[in-house]
């Protein structure tokens, strides 16, 4: 499947962000073609989540632009952001499920908010189908607190894709999952791209799954993208931080 | 030493002004989102239930005992002047104007304000607030508006319950325990207690209710730093709410007269 690379779905330009004296991002440039999967690699605390939150307008940069599907979202207020966010689904690092709601209520939440025409029965069907996609069944009436970490994550995944968004942001979707579930999630990301043409941004620690799902890999180090390109290219990067990071995995295998 | 203390006071004052500014901004935001569709009726009812219905019992109990204690103490004082017949009016005026709004608001702060702040804080630090936003749902409208409205609406209603229970407590001590005639208690109370007194208590209740819900929301919504941060936010919210109730009590009282 060759994605039309002409129009980037997400484009980040000269992005800078500091929290007080802590300069987290110091000039990020990143372009993510429509229909492609971009994996952001980097050490923990390097600012991957912060970068991702800028893409969906949860954080405002100190400087720079974030262009989503042709619109610069940086100056947008809540109303415009709401419109733009309907193109997105986001999977949070710790799932961020609503703990006062059951799994069913969590996953159906976006439907209830944005597909009010649906009947309860139809919602049940859609939720069931999405849960099946992430490999879960008969969990609808349970509460997030009663699920394992891996299951919570998959429920979060189901919630993120329930409205079939154009763009899905995954914040460490496989961290803390067992190898089989990790494979499952990787397949899901690949399927979403193949079948629905979804643009995906994936934050990862896991180099194996990064190389498996990525069209492009961007390596975040000390506030900058120090290397980016196709996985094969990145593997031969000369940047010392990238080499060190990759050797921890390729060294072992 | 001294300059250090002055600096500390200065910084404290600065932080205080900043917090007031934050509260005012949040109030405007809440107002704005109250009048935009969709109406979150279900969320509002859940909060009305939690803040109001859930607090009826403790407010009623506080009311009865406040009335009883106050009647008991004023009886001891009025006994010296053979003016026991004034116990009814004294108790009812104090309760309706002061004790009911202040104590009801304090009870709601402890019971509902702390829970509100902790819940919102937890939602913030576990990224549930972010998740709401990414699903194109405005968290101010979804989470804060119902809570602030519930404070505004329910605390005055609780004040009414406190009034009623407080009067009953006062009646019980004066008439049943001390043997004042029921007729004297009732006619004297009717003579002195005006609708304005009850109204003053209700207005105070509304102001306090709005204030404590706003503080709990503000502190919880802006919490950061994991479980420790949420705990700290809740402590700050409790202290600010309790202090604020007494400070506002004075100023609302002055403004109303
Ligand atoms: N809301 C925030 N306020 C202050 N500092 C933050 C905030 N979010 C993230 N940071 C800081 O930004 C840095 C990068 O965080 P993050 O993007 O979460 O790292 P990671 O790459 O592990 O996802 C960290 O030092 C973190 O403390
Ligand atoms: Mg992160």
């Amino acid at each position: 499947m060759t994605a039309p690379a002409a129009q980037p779905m997400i484009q980040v330009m000269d992005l800078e962000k500091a929290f007080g004296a802590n300069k987290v991002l110091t000039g990020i440039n990143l372009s993510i073609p429509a229909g492609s999967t971009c994996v952001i690699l980097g050490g923990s605390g390097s600012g991957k989540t912060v970068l991702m939150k800028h893409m969906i307008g949860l954080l405002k940069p100190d400087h720079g632009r974030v262009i989503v599907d042709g619109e610069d979202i940086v100056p947008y207020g809540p109303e415009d952001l709401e419109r733009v966010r309907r193109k997105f689904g986001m999977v949070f690092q710790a799932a961020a499920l609503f703990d006062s709601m059951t799994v069913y209520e969590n996953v159906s939440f976006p439907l209830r908010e944005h597909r009010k025409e649906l009947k309860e029965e139809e919602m049940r069907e859609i939720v069931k189908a999405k849960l099946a996609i992430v490999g879960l069944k008969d969990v609808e009436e349970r509460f997030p607190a009663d699920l394992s970490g891996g299951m919570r994550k998959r429920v979060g995944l189901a919630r993120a894709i329930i409205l079939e968004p154009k763009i899905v942001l995954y914040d460490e979707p496989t961290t803390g999952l067992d190898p089989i579930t990790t494979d499952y999630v990787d397949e899901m990301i690949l399927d979403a791209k193949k079948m629905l043409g979804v643009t995906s941004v994936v934050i990862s620690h896991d180099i194996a799954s990064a190389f498996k799902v990525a069209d492009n890999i961007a390596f975040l180090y000390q506030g900058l993208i120090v290397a980016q390109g196709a996985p094969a290219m990145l593997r031969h990067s000369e940047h010392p931080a990238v080499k060190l990071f990759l050797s921890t995995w390729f060294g072992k295998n | 030493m001294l300059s250090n203390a002055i600096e500390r006071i200065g910084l404290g004052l600065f932080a205080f002004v900043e917090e007031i500014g934050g509260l005012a901004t949040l109030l405007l935001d809440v107002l704005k989102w109250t009048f935009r569709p969709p109406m979150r009726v279900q969320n509002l009812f859940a909060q009305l239930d939690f803040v109001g219905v859930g607090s009826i019992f403790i407010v009623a109990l506080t009311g009865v005992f406040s009335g009883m204690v106050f009647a008991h103490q004023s009886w001891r004082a009025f006994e010296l002047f053979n003016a026991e017949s004034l116990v009814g009016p004294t108790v009812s005026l104090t309760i309706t104007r002061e004790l009911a709004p202040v104590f009801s608001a304090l009870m709601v702060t402890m019971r509902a304000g702390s829970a509100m702040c902790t819940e919102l804080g937890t939602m913030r630090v576990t990224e549930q607030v972010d998740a709401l936003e990414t699903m194109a749902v405005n968290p101010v409208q979804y989470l804060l508006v119902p809570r602030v409205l519930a404070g505004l609406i329910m605390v005055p209603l609780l004040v009414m319950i406190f009034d009623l229970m407080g009067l009953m407590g006062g009646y019980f001590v004066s008439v049943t325990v001390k043997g004042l005639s029921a007729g004297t208690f009732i006619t004297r109370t009717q003579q002195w207690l005006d609708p304005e007194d009850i109204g003053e208590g209700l207005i105070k209740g509304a102001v306090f209710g709005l204030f404590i819900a706003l503080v709990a929301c503000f502190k919880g919504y802006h919490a950061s730093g994991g479980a420790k941060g949420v705990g700290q936010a809740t402590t700050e919210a409790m202290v600010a709410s309790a202090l604020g109730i007494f400070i506002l009590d004075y100023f609302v009282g002055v403004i109303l007269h």
Side-chain angles (χ1 to χ4, degrees):
Chain A
M1 170 111 193
T2 48
Q7 159 92 352
M9 184 60 85
I10 298 177
Q11 202 171 4
V12 177
M13 293 157 88
D14 301 321
L15 186 92
E16 291 173 23
K17 179 71 177 179
F19 296 103
N22 180 10
K23 291 198 177 100
V24 179
L25 304 175
T26 53
I28 300 285
N29 284 288
L30 184 63
S31 177
I32 302 171
S36 75
T37 299
C38 175
V39 174
I40 299 169
L41 285 179
S44 91
S46 58
K48 304 182 296 294
T49 301
V50 169
L51 173 57
M52 183 170 270
K53 284 186 176 173
H54 279 89
M55 294 177 183
I56 193 167
L58 286 174
L59 291 172
K60 293 273 182 211
D62 302 330
H63 178 83
R65 301 208 282 164
V66 178
I67 295 161
V68 175
D69 209 2
E71 297 178 83
D72 183 359
I73 65 167
V74 171
Y76 279 2
E79 291 84 358
D80 282 320
L81 279 176
E82 260 172 41
R83 181 174 49 75
V84 174
R85 282 175 184 149
R86 293 189 193 198
K87 299 174 185 175
F88 281 92
M90 180 161 177
V91 183
F92 286 83
Q93 202 164 337
L97 301 178
F98 302 126
D99 39 33
S100 59
M101 298 183 190
T102 63
V103 167
Y104 175 68
E105 287 164 341
N106 263 287
V107 179
S108 63
F109 186 86
L111 294 175
R112 248 173 251 290
E113 287 297 321
H114 301 300
R115 298 280 308 277
K116 292 191 166 46
E117 76 283 2
L118 290 177
K119 294 194 202 62
E120 194 68 34
E121 273 318 296
E122 295 169 305
M123 279 193 219
R124 286 236 167 242
E125 285 308 308
I126 299 174
V127 169
K128 203 168 164 189
K130 290 296 186 229
L131 284 173
I133 290 180
V134 297
L136 293 173
K137 70 187 263 221
D138 298 332
V139 291
E140 280 95 328
E141 300 315 317
R142 288 165 76 176
F143 281 89
D146 306 328
L147 302 177
S148 72
M151 286 165 95
R152 274 206 286 276
K153 216 147 198 179
R154 285 186 279 165
V155 174
L157 222 51
R159 184 178 67 180
I161 57 172
I162 193 104
L163 291 173
E164 307 192 339
K166 284 166 95 167
I167 309 164
V168 184
L169 308 179
Y170 303 85
D171 192 353
E172 308 209 10
T174 58
T175 306
L177 296 188
D178 61 89
I180 296 169
T181 318
T182 300
D183 268 354
Y184 211 99
V185 171
D186 288 346
E187 289 302 327
M188 237 193 70
I189 296 172
L190 287 169
D191 283 350
K193 182 178 84 167
K194 257 188 263 162
M195 299 192 301
L196 306 168
V198 168
T199 307
S200 306
V201 186
V202 184
I203 291 178
S204 187
H205 271 315
D206 182 343
I207 295 166
S209 52
F211 276 72
K212 193 161 139 198
V213 301
D215 295 308
N216 280 293
I217 293 180
F219 191 88
L220 184 60
Y221 180 70
Q222 294 190 339
L224 292 170
I225 305 275
V226 292
Q228 66 176 306
M233 257 177 66
L234 200 84
R235 205 176 156 165
H236 300 108
S237 164
E238 287 302 315
H239 194 281
V242 182
K243 276 169 92 169
L244 182 68
F245 196 87
L246 295 187
S247 70
T248 57
W249 185 72
F250 285 114
K252 272 185 284 183
N253 287 269
Chain B
M1 266 304 280
L2 184 65
S3 71
N4 210 330
I6 291 173
E7 192 183 308
R8 285 245 298 277
I9 293 170
L11 283 177
L13 212 61
F14 189 74
F16 177 73
V17 171
E18 211 172 52
E19 300 259 295
I20 299 283
L23 271 187
T25 314
L26 188 68
L27 178 60
L28 291 180
D29 227 20
V30 165
L31 267 179
K32 177 176 116 180
W33 286 99
T34 301
F35 296 105
R36 295 211 182 173
M39 290 282 276
R40 305 280 179 182
V41 180
Q42 213 183 339
N43 293 15
L44 179 60
F45 274 99
Q47 290 303 320
L48 291 175
D49 184 58
F50 176 66
V51 172
V53 181
S55 303
I56 288 178
F57 182 70
I58 55 165
V59 165
L61 208 60
T62 317
V64 168
F65 277 95
S66 303
M68 285 167 60
V69 168
F70 209 69
H72 179 77
Q73 293 296 350
S74 32
W75 186 278
R76 284 175 57 193
F78 284 125
E79 213 173 23
L80 303 175
F81 317 104
N82 291 323
E84 291 94 335
S85 65
L86 288 177
V87 168
T90 310
V91 170
S92 56
L93 285 178
T94 317
I95 285 194
T96 52
R97 285 188 197 159
E98 292 296 340
L99 297 188
V102 169
F103 283 174
S104 302
L106 285 175
M107 295 318 271
V108 171
T109 300
M110 288 194 296
R111 207 194 131 267
S114 60
M116 251 184 219
C117 184
T118 314
E119 188 182 10
L120 290 173
T122 305
M123 291 188 76
R124 165 63 74 191
V125 301
T126 58
E127 297 184 314
Q128 293 176 52
V129 176
D130 285 341
L132 261 185
E133 278 194 73
T134 63
M135 289 186 273
V137 172
N138 186 282
V140 172
Q141 186 183 48
Y142 190 84
L143 296 172
L144 305 195
V145 168
R147 285 169 171 80
V148 172
L149 287 183
L152 179 68
I153 295 168
M154 289 323 260
V155 176
L157 293 180
L158 291 167
V159 168
M160 285 197 231
I161 290 173
F162 193 110
D163 285 346
L164 195 69
M165 300 306 286
L167 277 179
M168 280 165 60
Y171 179 92
F172 174 75
V173 167
S174 318
V175 178
T176 315
V177 178
K178 301 285 187 186
L180 187 74
S181 92
T184 311
F185 184 93
I186 294 170
T187 45
R188 282 306 193 119
T189 303
Q190 278 175 341
Q191 211 172 5
W192 284 90
L193 185 66
D194 290 328
E196 289 88 77
D197 299 313
I198 297 172
E200 179 178 338
L202 296 185
I203 291 172
K204 282 180 174 175
V207 173
F208 299 164
L210 177 68
F211 176 73
I212 59 184
L214 211 54
V215 169
C217 287
F218 178 70
K219 287 291 179 183
Y221 193 65
H222 295 293
S224 66
K228 190 160 172 277
V230 175
Q232 194 185 336
T234 307
T235 306
E236 286 173 17
M238 293 300 94
V239 172
S241 299
L243 282 178
I245 287 169
F246 288 105
I247 295 170
L248 283 172
D249 189 32
Y250 175 75
F251 286 106
V252 175
V254 169
I255 290 168
L256 287 180
H257 297 284

